[in-house]
């Protein structure tokens, strides 16, 4: 049996290669840039008005800045999307809307509120300064400027700016393709009434959503009986399209546990089986031609903890991020005791203490079949074998991928 550290290293060493893909902006949400993006054009695209008002020449309105109102002739209008066609001459003004192109000859915009608002001739009561209320082409972003670095996770704010700049596609790390194969004769889908001895499949939906949260594309989710032929056939089929196959149940030593044999028959080489940890001792990991297979235990807490600790950092890496976890240092809100001879992951909840520090409360029920910790916790932390830790001890917790 191998240690947690050894298992982590082996997972990291066997991950399949990751690919770069050109994607549209809408598709790119949540993906990681594989290449920096530079601005193809300036922003603003053209010099335009920051206010609704009148485009003028500063020399014509300068007097209004020292309390002497000025009269100007209105010779036309520049609207957003419909610029004024002519050139502004001496003593002239062009009515202008926010975002409309500043007419040739104009250098300043007088806000509507600083005039009498007439249409043929206007009285300019006040002029704040030359060049006021004008947005200059390229003042924010120059053409050719790097606007996003490789490694940026694209969020709606980035995508808005890229759209405005005319970047319609980006090169991002492709979403890893994941197939989820849930095994267990006792499982019925959520929404179906279990017969005596049956239970609902909790792991399938949990794994699908966790994988999707981490940027993967789940191409397949299936529930299989504890049948070696069906299992090996399903693994073989999934291998054709998936980079990562995630299985749950059937990895232990029971006579109906067929995942390991099924995966081997489908061409996977076992990398490890069984890790000196709690929960998740029967964790199975295998590889085949640029693909990997995680055989997670069936108990929902075991499956979840193994997914957070081993699968999540793998999917992070495959989708263009670092292999790793978000961690937090926190002090124990109460003592913990690990009576097991194996290092044990405790489910816990971080919270802000009254002194501003972070406290960590281990969930009261840690059993691998107990759902309550899934409802309460936001993190896991590892306690060495046969160890007691007092309240107040500082520990490092791994946050769930969503914090
Ligand atoms: P196994 O790993 O197949 O020995 O299953 C261990 C325990 O987890 C058993 O109590 C199973 O009924 C339960 N279990 C297995 N698969 C699932 C699942 N998909 N959802 C919820 N519980 C499960
Ligand atoms: Mg089973």
């Amino acid at each position: 049996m191998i240690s947690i550290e050894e298992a982590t290293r082996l997972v990291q060493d066997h991950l399949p290669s990751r690919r770069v893909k050109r994607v549209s902006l809408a598709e790119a949400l949540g993906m990681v840039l594989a290449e920096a993006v530079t601005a193809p054009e300036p922003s603003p695209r053209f010099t335009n008005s920051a206010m609704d008002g009148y485009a003028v020449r500063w020399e014509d309105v300068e007097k209004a800045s020292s309390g002497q109102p000025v009269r100007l002739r209105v010779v036309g209008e520049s609207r957003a999307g419909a610029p004024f066609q002519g050139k502004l001459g001496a003593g002239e003004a062009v009515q202008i809307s926010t975002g409309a192109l500043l007419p040739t000859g104009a250098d300043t915009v007088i806000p509507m509120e600083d005039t009498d608002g007439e249409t043929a001739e206007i009285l300019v009561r006040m002029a704040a300064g030359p060049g006021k209320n004008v947005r200059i082409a390229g003042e924010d972003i120059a053409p050719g400027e790097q606007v996003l670095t490789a490694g940026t996770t694209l969020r709606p704010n980035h995508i808005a700016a890229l759209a405005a700049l005319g970047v319609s596609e980006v090169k991002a790390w492709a979403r890893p393709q994941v197939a989820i194969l849930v095994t267990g004769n006792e499982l019925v889908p959520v929404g179906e009434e279990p017969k005596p001895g049956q239970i609902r499949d909790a792991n399938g939906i949990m794994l699908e959503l966790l994988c999707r949260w981490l940027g993967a594309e789940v191409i397949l989710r299936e529930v299989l009986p504890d049948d070696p032929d069906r299992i090996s056939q399903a693994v073989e089929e999934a291998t054709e399209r998936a980079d990562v196959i995630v299985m749950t149940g059937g990895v232990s030593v029971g006579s109906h546990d067929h995942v390991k044999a099924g995966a081997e028959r489908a061409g996977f080489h076992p990398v490890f089986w069984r890790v000196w940890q709690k929960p998740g001792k029967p964790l199975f990991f295998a590889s085949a031609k640029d693909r990997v297979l995680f055989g997670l235990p069936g108990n929902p807490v075991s499956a979840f903890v193994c997914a957070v600790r081993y699968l999540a950092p793998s999917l992070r890496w495959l989708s263009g991020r670092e292999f790793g976890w978000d961690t937090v240092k926190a002090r124990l809100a109460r003592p913990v005791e690990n009576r097991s001879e194996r290092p044990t992951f405790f489910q816990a909840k971080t919270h802000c203490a009254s002194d501003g520090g972070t406290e960590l409360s281990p969930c009261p029920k840690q059993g691998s079949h107990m759902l309550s910790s899934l409802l309460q916790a936001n993190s896991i932390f590892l306690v060495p074998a046969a160890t007691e830790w007092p309240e107040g001890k500082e520990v490092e917790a791994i946050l769930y991928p969503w914090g």
Side-chain angles (χ1 to χ4, degrees):
M1 212 171 308
I2 62 171
S3 69
I4 292 166
E5 294 72 30
E6 178 75 350
T8 308
R9 195 183 59 72
L10 286 169
V11 168
Q12 205 172 351
D13 285 352
H14 286 82
L15 289 179
S17 41
R18 47 187 186 184
R19 294 177 298 275
V20 172
K21 196 180 171 197
R22 194 167 265 288
V23 287
S24 72
L25 290 189
E27 223 184 317
L29 181 68
M31 293 176 86
V32 179
L33 279 180
E35 196 179 87
V37 178
T38 53
E41 57 180 52
S43 182
R45 294 193 72 212
F46 49 83
T47 300
N48 68 86
S49 178
M51 302 282 282
D52 291 323
Y54 296 90
V56 299
R57 303 174 347 143
W58 172 248
E59 56 193 286
D60 291 347
V61 296
E62 196 171 352
K63 278 198 214 140
S65 65
S66 51
Q68 291 172 260
V70 172
R71 281 197 182 278
L72 297 174
R73 207 152 38 84
V74 180
V75 294
E77 188 181 7
S78 182
R79 296 171 63 169
F84 176 69
Q85 297 297 339
K87 181 173 187 287
L88 193 82
E92 293 177 346
V94 164
Q95 198 184 337
I96 195 162
S97 333
T98 306
L101 190 131
L102 193 75
T104 315
D107 56 20
T108 301
V109 169
I110 307 293
M112 189 63 83
E113 305 85 293
D114 295 344
T115 72
D116 61 1
E118 287 299 319
T119 46
E121 200 182 65
I122 50 150
L123 186 69
V124 177
R125 296 198 199 95
M126 223 163 73
K132 281 280 175 196
N133 307 311
V134 171
R135 307 158 166 173
I136 308 288
E139 69 175 5
D140 181 22
I141 296 167
E145 192 175 320
Q146 181 173 308
V147 290
L148 289 174
T149 55
T152 305
T153 301
L154 292 167
R155 304 295 185 202
N157 49 305
H158 303 123
I159 288 175
L162 295 181
L165 285 165
V167 178
S168 57
E169 286 188 334
V170 292
K171 273 191 180 171
W173 293 104
R175 296 183 181 282
Q177 307 287 293
V178 177
I180 294 169
L181 301 177
V182 177
T183 70
N185 284 348
E186 72 277 37
L187 303 174
V188 299
V190 183
E192 215 168 275
E193 194 52 35
K195 296 195 184 78
Q198 292 186 320
I199 57 164
R200 296 181 190 87
D201 165 26
N203 297 346
I205 192 158
M206 178 270 283
L207 291 168
E208 171 168 351
L209 300 182
L210 180 132
C211 291
R212 279 173 39 194
W213 185 277
L214 286 156
E217 189 175 337
V218 175
I219 55 165
L220 172 80
R221 167 151 73 93
E222 220 180 318
V223 179
L224 302 163
D226 295 310
D227 175 307
D229 293 338
R230 292 282 302 276
I231 290 175
S232 70
Q233 192 193 337
V235 172
E236 217 167 282
E237 280 166 19
T239 310
E240 282 168 27
R241 294 195 291 142
D243 304 302
V244 178
I245 300 176
V246 184
M247 304 188 67
T248 113
V251 286
S252 209
V253 291
S255 50
H256 304 293
D257 292 337
H258 303 298
V259 164
K260 296 189 303 300
E264 280 190 69
R265 261 169 60 188
F268 276 85
H269 309 289
V271 176
F272 64 78
W273 174 51
R274 304 209 292 179
V275 180
W276 192 241
Q277 64 183 4
K278 196 179 159 193
K281 187 169 89 171
L283 178 64
F284 173 64
F285 181 70
S287 78
K289 35 178 183 159
D290 214 24
R291 302 199 172 5
V292 287
L293 181 148
F294 290 84
L296 309 179
N299 274 308
V301 174
S302 314
F304 182 75
V305 168
C306 288
V308 168
R309 184 58 180 66
Y310 300 97
L311 173 63
S314 305
L315 294 177
R316 270 169 75 139
W317 186 84
L318 284 167
S319 51
R321 303 168 180 87
E322 295 282 305
F323 182 98
W325 313 265
D326 291 328
T327 59
V328 64
K329 285 206 164 62
R331 35 177 224 264
L332 289 175
R334 51 187 185 78
V336 286
E337 183 181 4
N338 178 15
R339 292 207 193 103
S340 166
E341 56 185 346
R342 282 173 274 152
T344 298
F345 291 107
F346 280 71
Q347 291 261 73
K349 166 90 179 154
T350 60
H351 41 88
C352 199
S354 50
D355 65 358
T358 306
E359 275 190 345
L360 191 64
S361 294
C363 297
K365 296 178 183 176
Q366 296 284 341
S368 60
H369 63 294
M370 291 177 168
L371 301 176
S372 59
S373 71
L374 293 175
L375 298 168
Q376 295 156 0
N378 69 348
S379 52
I380 55 173
F381 70 104
L382 188 63
V383 183
T387 297
E388 267 180 72
W389 276 348
E391 180 185 326
K393 180 179 168 59
E394 188 174 274
V395 300
E396 189 176 78
I398 291 177
L399 291 168
Y400 290 176
W402 38 90

